[in-house]
């Protein structure tokens, strides 16, 4: 007969953390949220680290280039979704790598023959009031001038007026030379009382725009996740079908790390994918998802640089309903973390694990870390923000954003659920939904990280490693869960 586990499959909501002694060294300001992303040997450091233990899910409705930029600027990482054409995914990766903190590639560009009507339409489309005028209308063409709202008056100037008649010509612009630092660019901005400084090469070709406001913004993001060339770090999702064509394009575009995206990663197709990539490219690759010791070890021995844990725990995932496959997220993490630690003791190689799914409340992040995860992957959390790729929709007195699963009919990401047969989805494993709109990523993430640090402080842990070694957890009853929230009172409506 089938093997039956005696332990109950448990979720994060069934656990609470017991406080440990809080000392001066583990106040929130002293807590280090840095964590390894890819495997490393004992006595060495991981070649790729996160500054915060959070990555965004490999989903159409979550991880595009705009969210990847915003999250990397806060210290985390996005995996650009792979359920799209290879070239469009590679282009998203390129956009993130081209973005330099404070150095912005202009996406509002026109030629000298454009008209005021074109200027107004472009401003309405992008929301940007500064427009670069180049010889070919691209972001990398020869810079001929700049236009801001100070250069025209809609009420008086005819819409057909040519750009060259009212732009600020190159001869009157103050520019910076390619290669200067952000600090040097900012000095020029302040010295000449500028709002924008174009950065050009020796041939007058435009490369970046530096804005006064972005320098201040940069100083407010000390945890930016940067590579050795001071570019933002970005990942990309891949599948076990078209990896031979997709991976070289992503590597060429500059992807720092890849992750095989599958609802069930305990398969020979993931092994084949890992072995192929490892034989041809020098790029780290994560694999998953798995929920037990056997699945973890299979992927590790196939060459995975990190392993993603979780099946069926995502808010839009219905794999457990449709197939009866999965496991409670807490139980999965605990077992896989135990296998990871045993492997480290035996081989001296540490394999980071990512908890994917099951995060409902912010404190669940700390629970996942305490149970042994090195970082968490979230989808619904990020889908709520301005930077996610989906539409903001009016609903009642508020707004919502669209959020759909990769296994839904809308996404039709059949590769993620591939069982080695024909190229189609026979049934859904995800739903199409809405999530409450929450505003800017940075504002919400700051609140979440403050909660994470406060919880770690109460646990007496200044680092994630300390948390994993010293945290104490307790199971809770259904009635104690009720006790943990506001109860036996009449709540006031918020007036602020």
């Amino acid at each position: 007969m089938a093997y039956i586990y005696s332990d109950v499959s448990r979720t994060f909501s069934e656990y609470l953390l017991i406080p440990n002694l809080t000392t001066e060294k583990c106040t929130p300001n002293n807590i280090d949220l840095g964590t390894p992303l890819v495997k490393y040997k004992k006595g060495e450091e991981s070649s790729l680290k996160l500054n915060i233990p959070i990555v965004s899910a490999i989903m159409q409705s979550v991880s595009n280039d705009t969210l990847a930029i915003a999250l990397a600027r806060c210290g985390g990482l996005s995996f650009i979704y792979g359920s799209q054409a290879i070239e469009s995914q590679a282009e998203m990766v390129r956009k993130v790598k081209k973005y330099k903190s404070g150095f912005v590639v202009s996406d509002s560009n026109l030629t000298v023959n454009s008209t005021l009507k074109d200027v107004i339409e472009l401003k309405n489309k992008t929301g940007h009031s500064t427009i670069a005028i180049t010889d070919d209308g691209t972001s990398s063409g020869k810079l001929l001038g700049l236009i801001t709202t100070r250069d025209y008056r809609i009420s008086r100037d005819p819409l057909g007026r040519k750009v060259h008649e009212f732009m600020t010509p190159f001869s009157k612009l103050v520019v910076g030379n390619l290669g200067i630092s952000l600090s040097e660019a900012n000095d020029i901005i302040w010295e000449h009382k500028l709002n924008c400084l174009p950065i050009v090469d020796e041939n007058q070709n435009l490369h970046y725009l530096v804005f006064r406001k972005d320098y201040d913004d940069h100083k407010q993001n000390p945890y930016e996740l940067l590579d050795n060339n001071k570019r933002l770090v970005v990942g990309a999702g891949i599948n076990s079908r078209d990896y031979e064509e997709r991976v070289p394009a992503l590597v060429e575009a500059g992807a720092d790390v890849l992750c095989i995206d599958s609802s069930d990663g305990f398969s020979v197709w993931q092994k084949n994918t890992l072995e192929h990539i490892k034989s041809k490219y020098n790029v780290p690759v994560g694999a998953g998802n798995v929920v037990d010791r056997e699945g973890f070890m299979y992927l590790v021995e196939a060459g995975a640089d990190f392993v993603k844990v979780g099946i069926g725990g995502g808010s839009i995932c219905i794999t457990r309903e449709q197939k009866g496959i999965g496991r409670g997220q807490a139980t999965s993490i605990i077992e896989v973390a135990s296998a990871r630690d045993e492997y480290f003791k035996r081989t001296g190689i540490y394999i980071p694990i990512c908890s994917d799914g099951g995060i409902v409340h912010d404190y669940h992040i700390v629970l996942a870390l305490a149970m042994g995860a090195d970082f968490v992957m979230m989808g619904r959390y990020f889908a709520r923000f301005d930077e996610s790729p989906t539409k903001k929709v009016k609903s009642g007195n508020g707004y919502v954003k669209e959020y759909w699963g990769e296994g839904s009919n809308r996404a039709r990401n059949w590769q993620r659920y591939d069982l080695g047969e024909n190229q189609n989805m026979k049934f859904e494993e995800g739903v199409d939904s809405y999530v409450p709109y929450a505003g800017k990523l940075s504002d919400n993430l700051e609140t979440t990280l403050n909660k994470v640090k406060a919880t770690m402080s109460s646990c007496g842990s200044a680092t994630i490693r300390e948390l994993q070694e010293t945290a104490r957890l307790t199971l809770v009853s259904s009635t104690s869960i009720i006790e943990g929230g506001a109860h036996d009172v009449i709540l006031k409506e918020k007036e602020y």
Side-chain angles (χ1 to χ4, degrees), residues 286-335:
N289 287 16
V290 298
V291 293
D292 63 359
R293 178 184 310 271
E294 290 78 11
F296 171 79
M297 287 307 306
Y298 183 80
L299 295 179
V300 168
E301 290 168 356
D305 290 285
F306 68 86
V307 174
K308 205 144 63 77
V309 179
I311 295 177
S315 60
I316 42 67
C317 182
I318 55 173
T319 294
R320 296 180 192 175
E321 291 180 10
Q322 296 284 62
K323 295 170 62 179
I325 296 292
R327 198 179 197 185
Q329 190 67 11
T331 301
S332 301
I333 292 294
I334 291 169
E335 178 171 324

Side-chain angles (χ1 to χ4, degrees), residues 100-112:
K100 285 194 173 184
S101 181
F103 291 85
V104 180
V105 176
S106 176
D107 62 359
S108 296
N109 311 286
L110 293 171
T111 69
V112 291

Side-chain angles (χ1 to χ4, degrees), residues 372-387:
D374 296 280
F375 55 98
V376 301
M377 175 175 280
M378 297 188 288
R380 178 191 59 85
Y381 178 88
F382 290 109
R384 304 173 300 150
F385 303 146
D386 287 324
E387 296 85 354

Side-chain angles (χ1 to χ4, degrees), residues 125-313:
K125 178 181 178 181
T126 65
H128 301 151
S129 59
T130 300
I131 298 174
I133 307 303
T134 60
D135 61 344
D136 58 3
T138 69
S139 61
S140 57
K142 185 176 182 179
L143 182 63
L144 302 179
L146 274 185
I147 288 179
T148 69
T149 51
R150 294 177 298 180
D151 294 312
Y152 59 87
R153 299 175 69 179
I154 298 176
S155 60
R156 296 192 178 184
D157 293 326
L159 293 179
R161 190 180 182 192
K162 295 290 187 181
V163 159
H164 66 80
E165 298 176 18
F166 60 92
M167 72 179 187
T168 302
F170 183 82
S171 59
K172 293 184 179 181
L173 293 175
V174 176
V175 300
N177 295 321
L178 184 64
I180 66 172
S181 68
L182 183 58
S183 179
E184 291 170 333
N186 186 64
D187 289 341
I188 297 173
I189 287 173
W190 280 95
E191 179 183 350
H192 295 276
K193 299 180 180 180
L194 306 173
N195 287 320
C196 174
L197 178 72
I199 305 298
V200 299
D201 61 22
E202 65 275 10
N203 296 318
Q204 202 175 309
N205 293 320
L206 178 64
H207 285 260
Y208 304 108
L209 299 176
V210 179
F211 294 91
R212 179 191 294 256
K213 62 180 177 63
D214 286 342
Y215 181 76
D216 295 332
D217 189 38
H218 168 68
K219 294 181 72 174
Q220 294 172 4
N221 290 277
Y223 299 116
E224 283 180 320
L225 191 62
L226 305 174
D227 64 17
N228 293 331
N229 296 315
K230 304 300 182 184
R231 300 175 302 177
L232 296 177
V233 176
V234 63
I238 60 173
N239 60 66
S240 56
R241 279 279 186 161
D242 65 4
Y243 57 88
E244 292 188 27
E245 297 79 32
R246 189 173 294 271
V247 171
L250 295 173
V251 171
E252 188 275 332
D256 297 282
V257 58
L258 306 176
C259 184
I260 307 172
D261 185 32
S262 173
S263 68
D264 177 10
F266 193 3
S267 74
V268 68
W269 296 285
Q270 289 226 358
K271 178 176 182 289
N272 294 342
T273 305
L274 284 166
E275 290 177 346
H276 173 84
I277 296 171
K278 290 296 180 179
S279 69
K280 290 181 174 292
Y281 306 99
N282 183 29
V283 60
V285 189
N289 287 16
V290 298
V291 293
D292 63 359
R293 178 184 310 271
E294 290 78 11
F296 171 79
M297 287 307 306
Y298 183 80
L299 295 179
V300 168
E301 290 168 356
D305 290 285
F306 68 86
V307 174
K308 205 144 63 77
V309 179
I311 295 177

